[in-house]
């Protein structure tokens, strides 16, 4: 089934800090870059997380190709520098050129980008939307998809909505029109805001709150992506067995498996307690995770799960996560 959201050309990735926003945004950009498609991955917090993930040098304020996806699509990346974006913006409206450089010397740009954080967000979202709408000389979109590694859940609604405020402040003229054009993209099915979470109480709660905020602001909520999911090694039956099994029968089984004597002080007997303790810890985690899965289920949104890569993240791992997203039909 193809829904409107499947074709969203601007995919915004948010989530509680540390849940894997940058990683998931990068995997999503790779996943969307199927045969012949071109994706732009945009970083707005200037931490060079994308460059690190793709094992490449720091990104300049310039769109450059950083990966070829399996299947031949291309991923471009851009770390938006708010100062340079401001010069772009001034250039667009006022044809400033040299005057812009003079402004920079005067520190006016520092003022505008650090003192007025709202303006900073106007520039960042504006730049991303410009990339979404940009066409080549044949009238085709330059990027099939733009994926944004966005601010964390607590700030993302305000961040995306900032142009609404601007449109309200500047009631007519080019800035008003630009702000409205940005909001038209952000509030349309052309955009989807995804939230990354872990199967833990805090990030799940933040996800639920974030979704409520996004909805209240009429921003299009996309999907929930549960990251770093650990494999389930025991099912309900196995857990029940762990709860009821006797120490001595575990010791006998270990002994029968060739792990030594099952009597008091025997090798197998000494393995029982650590083993049962691990099982207990697992059972606890299982219960907590299932609780959080139930909370996520109530959100009534498509859920995706990405595995915890036990060896840590590297480029191969990133491709693996991208593949997983494709298999789950997100791209
Ligand atoms: N699926 C995963 N498996 C293993 N490690 C992961 C996974 N996703 C993210 N990580 C690691 O977790 C850390 C936080 O991820 P990152 O994408 O930087 O989070 P955020 O952008 O939300 O702060 C990084 O060290 C990253 O390599
Ligand atoms: Mg990040």
């Amino acid at each position: 089934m193809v829904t409107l959201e499947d074709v969203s050309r601007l995919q915004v990735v948010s989530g509680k800090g540390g849940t894997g926003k940058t990683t998931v945004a990068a995997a999503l950009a790779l996943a969307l870059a199927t045969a012949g498609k071109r994706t732009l991955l945009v970083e707005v917090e200037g931490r060079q997380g994308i460059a690190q993930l793709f094992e490449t040098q720091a990104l300049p304020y310039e769109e450059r190709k950083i990966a070829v996806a399996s299947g031949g699509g291309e991923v471009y990346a851009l770390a938006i520098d708010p100062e340079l974006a401001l010069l772009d913006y001034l250039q667009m409206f006022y044809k400033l050129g040299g005057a812009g450089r003079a402004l920079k010397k005067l520190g006016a740009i520092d003022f505008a980008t650090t003192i007025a954080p709202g303006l900073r967000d106007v520039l960042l979202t504006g730049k991303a939307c410009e990339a979404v709408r940009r066409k080549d000389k044949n009238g085709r979109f330059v990027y099939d998809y733009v994926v944004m590694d966005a601010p964390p859940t607590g700030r993302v609604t305000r961040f995306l909505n900032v142009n609404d405020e601007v449109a309200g402040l500047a009631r007519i003229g080019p800035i008003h029109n630009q702000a409205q054009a940005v909001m038209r993209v952000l509030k349309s099915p052309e955009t989807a805001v995804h939230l990354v979470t872990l199967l833990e109480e805090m990030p799940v709660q933040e996800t639920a709150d974030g979704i409520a905020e996004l909805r209240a602001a009429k921003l299009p909520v996309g999907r929930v992506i549960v990251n770093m999911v650990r494999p389930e090694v025991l099912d309900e039956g196995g857990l029940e067995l762990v709860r009821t099994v006797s120490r001595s029968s575990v010791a006998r089984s270990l002994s029968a498996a060739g792990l030594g004597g099952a009597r008091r002080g025997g090798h197998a007997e000494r393995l029982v307690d650590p083993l049962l303790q691990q099982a207990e810890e697992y059972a606890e985690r299982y219960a907590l995770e299932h609780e959080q899965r139930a909370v996520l289920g109530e959100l009534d949104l498509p859920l995706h799960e990405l595995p915890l890569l036990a060896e840590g993240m590297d480029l191969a791992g990133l491709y693996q996560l991208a593949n997983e997203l494709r298999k789950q039909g997100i791209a």
Side-chain angles (χ1 to χ4, degrees), residues 154-176:
R155 285 194 283 123
V156 74
T157 298
R158 182 105 207 271
F159 172 78
L160 294 174
N161 246 345
V162 68
N163 274 283
D164 247 3
E165 291 172 34
V166 172
L169 289 173
R171 295 195 170 274
I172 49 168
I175 291 184
H176 175 82

Side-chain angles (χ1 to χ4, degrees), residues 9-56:
R9 296 187 46 252
L10 175 59
Q11 311 241 348
V12 179
V13 180
S14 181
K16 185 172 174 2
T19 55
K21 277 189 311 296
T22 302
T23 307
V24 171
L28 187 56
L30 269 177
L32 288 164
T34 48
K37 292 272 195 322
R38 186 183 291 166
T39 309
L40 178 67
L41 177 56
V42 174
E43 182 163 49
V44 298
E45 304 241 283
R47 295 213 195 97
Q48 295 291 345
I50 290 174
Q52 245 176 45
L53 258 175
F54 284 92
E55 298 169 11
T56 150

Side-chain angles (χ1 to χ4, degrees), residues 7-217:
V7 296
S8 292
R9 296 187 46 252
L10 175 59
Q11 311 241 348
V12 179
V13 180
S14 181
K16 185 172 174 2
T19 55
K21 277 189 311 296
T22 302
T23 307
V24 171
L28 187 56
L30 269 177
L32 288 164
T34 48
K37 292 272 195 322
R38 186 183 291 166
T39 309
L40 178 67
L41 177 56
V42 174
E43 182 163 49
V44 298
E45 304 241 283
R47 295 213 195 97
Q48 295 291 345
I50 290 174
Q52 245 176 45
L53 258 175
F54 284 92
E55 298 169 11
T56 150
Q57 302 154 325
L59 296 169
Y61 181 55
E62 176 187 293
E63 290 155 35
R64 57 165 57 177
K65 186 155 78 174
I66 52 163
V68 174
S70 32
E74 297 172 328
V75 179
Y76 282 68
L78 170 69
I80 302 180
D81 176 329
E83 280 191 12
L84 296 174
L86 178 57
L87 286 177
D88 268 7
Y89 190 81
L90 294 172
Q91 179 70 24
M92 187 156 66
F93 295 123
Y94 304 108
K95 307 274 175 281
L96 276 182
R101 281 191 293 279
L103 268 178
K104 191 171 162 66
K105 277 211 185 105
L106 282 170
I109 288 182
D110 274 351
F111 171 78
T113 53
T114 58
I115 313 293
L119 174 59
R120 199 177 150 271
D121 294 352
V122 167
L123 298 168
L124 298 172
T125 50
K127 183 70 195 173
C129 288
E130 180 273 319
V132 171
R133 286 176 298 167
R134 194 186 312 156
K135 292 187 173 168
D136 63 18
K137 56 182 187 304
N138 301 319
R140 295 212 336 251
F141 284 120
V142 171
Y143 294 107
D144 297 288
Y145 299 100
V146 175
V147 178
M148 186 199 277
D149 177 11
T153 328
R155 285 194 283 123
V156 74
T157 298
R158 182 105 207 271
F159 172 78
L160 294 174
N161 246 345
V162 68
N163 274 283
D164 247 3
E165 291 172 34
V166 172
L169 289 173
R171 295 195 170 274
I172 49 168
I175 291 184
H176 175 82
N177 294 342
Q178 151 79 2
Q180 280 210 317
V182 170
M183 286 321 297
R184 262 201 304 279
V185 172
L186 291 179
K187 291 199 167 167
S188 74
E190 218 176 347
T191 298
V193 186
H194 308 303
L195 293 172
V196 181
T197 185
L198 307 177
L199 280 178
E200 291 169 13
E201 197 175 341
M202 291 286 288
V204 166
Q205 186 56 47
E206 253 190 52
T207 302
D209 294 346
I211 288 167
E213 265 186 53
L214 288 164
R215 283 184 173 152

Side-chain angles (χ1 to χ4, degrees), residues 16-23 227-228 307-309 313 321:
K16 185 172 174 2
T19 55
K21 277 189 311 296
T22 302
T23 307
N227 190 25
M228 305 196 218
L308 173 73
L309 300 179
M313 280 302 306
L321 296 181

